[in-house]
Structures are given as structure tokens and as C-alpha cells.
Amino acid sequence: MRKLAAGNWKMNGLTAQLPEVTALIAAHPSPSCDVLLCPPSTLVAAMASTAAGRIAVGGQDCHPKASGAHTGDISAAMLKDAGASYVILGHSERRADHGEGDALVRAKAEAAWVAGLIAIICVGETEAERDAGKTLAVIGTQLAGSVPDGASSANTVIAYEPVWAIGTGRTPTLPEIAEVHADIRARLTARFGADAAGFRLLYGGSVRQSNAAEIFALPNVDGALVGGASLKASDFGAIVAALSAA
Ligand code: 13P
């Protein structure tokens, strides 16, 4: 399995930030992991052109329909046409800001595959859910509802992002991360059999240069989904290097 260092720029980035991509590629010309950046949709085409296939580019959301009267939305085919090969789906910020539920995320993943995109499906508990001891149950429900039956290691990546760890500088303990990733792997195995071993399971939430290596050393952690530390080539490059060395 090729591990995956994925960056989510969220609602950050203008054309003036594209030199970060050039700098990242120059500093890490042949990493031994896959590298992906997901900029805002306005930058997908320009970033894909800048990256010239040296790193992958992805979207941060897509509509479940291929086209039609959906003002402001973007289809998976449009992302693909602009040069994307991945799309993040069901990020907790979309679940919270836009009321996205598991059924919608599942429909989006199926739309992503039709367009030839790899779906990165995000799951994660809130702090209240963790405090109540519901973490594994919440994630199990999200996986069951958000991951379509057609998922495979080739078309789907799972990202575990505890909501309370996103942008806060806080992370679960290493055993807590390992516990969740082992549980996700077990649930995928129960559903998809031997292919489950090939699904890439990303951890996301306050991944930094300082904690990347210890997180990447955990079993069933096959990469990261990085927000704030993906915006600068120097910060993200250090995480790429840590994953390459893992
Ligand atoms: P931070 O790395 O900024 O905590 O964000 C994580 C995230 O939400 C990536 O999708």
C-alpha cells in the first residue's frame, strides 16, 4: 500500500499561494508516499497545472448529481475535468456547517466514483461523544451510513478526524488513535473482506511536524489529512518526509 499525505486547504488560498506547491515539489521530488493537496475549488485547475502530475490534487466536496440546477455546487465530473483525482467527502465542517448526513455523504461518494475520483470519506466523534464513551459507536454508525457498498481500497480512503482535534492543537493519545483505527479496519474487514487491508486509513486533527512521526508509527495509520499545516510547503513537507520515513 502507498501511504497518503493529504492536505486540506479548506477556505484558504489564492493564486498567490500556488508557489507553495512548486516549493513542496522541489523540496520533496520523489517521496515514497502519495502526496495530495485539496485547495478550494477555484484553485483546483491552476494547482493541477502547477503540480503537473508530481502531486495529486483534489476537491473538498462535490454534489451527488452529475449536473443540473444546483446553483453554487460543483460536480465530481467538474473536479475531474479541472484536474482533480480525489475528493474529500463528509468532512465534519461540512457535516456541521451544511447539515450533511451519512446518506448524502454516501451518495456523494458514489458520484465521485462515477467521475473517476477517489473518495476520502471523513468520520469522527465530537468531544461530548468521546466523553460519553461513544467514540467507536459513533464512528461505526458513520462508516455504515457514509461508505457505500461499492467501496474498495482503490476507490476509497477513510479519514478519522476527531472533531475536537481539528484546528485546536489537541489530539487523542496515541493509544486512542490506534484503538479507533483498529476498529475502523475491523469494521471494513467485516464488510469488505480481504480488500479491507488495502484501504488507506488517515488520521486528521492537529497533525504537525512535531507529532507526525509518532502518529505514523501506529498500526493502521496509513497517512494523514492535514489542515493548517498543509498551507505552507515547509510545514507540509516535514509531514511528507515523516510519512516517507515511516
Ligand atoms: P487541522 O490539521 O488544521 O487540525 O485540520 C484537520 C482537518 O480538518 C483536515 O481535514
Side-chain angles (χ1 to χ4, degrees), residues 1 3 158 160 177-186 189 196-197 199-203 215-223:
M1 175 206 296
K3 296 186 176 181
I158 306 294
Y160 167 52
I177 296 173
E179 177 190 37
V180 172
H181 279 240
D183 192 65
I184 293 172
R185 185 79 70 197
T189 301
F199 278 68
R200 291 176 293 181
L201 310 186
L202 311 184
Y203 170 77
I215 292 171
F216 294 150
L218 295 171
N220 295 304
V221 175
D222 309 308

Side-chain angles (χ1 to χ4, degrees), residues 8 10 88 91-93 122 161 165-169 204-208 225-229:
N8 174 9
K10 308 191 179 185
I88 298 168
H91 191 283
S92 63
E93 287 153 13
C122 302
E161 298 206 307
I166 293 174
T168 59
S206 297
V207 177
R208 308 269 185 272
L225 183 54
V226 182

Side-chain angles (χ1 to χ4, degrees), residues 111-128:
W113 301 339
V114 169
L117 299 176
I118 297 171
I120 301 177
I121 299 175
C122 302
V123 297
E125 84 286 2
T126 63
E127 185 157 34

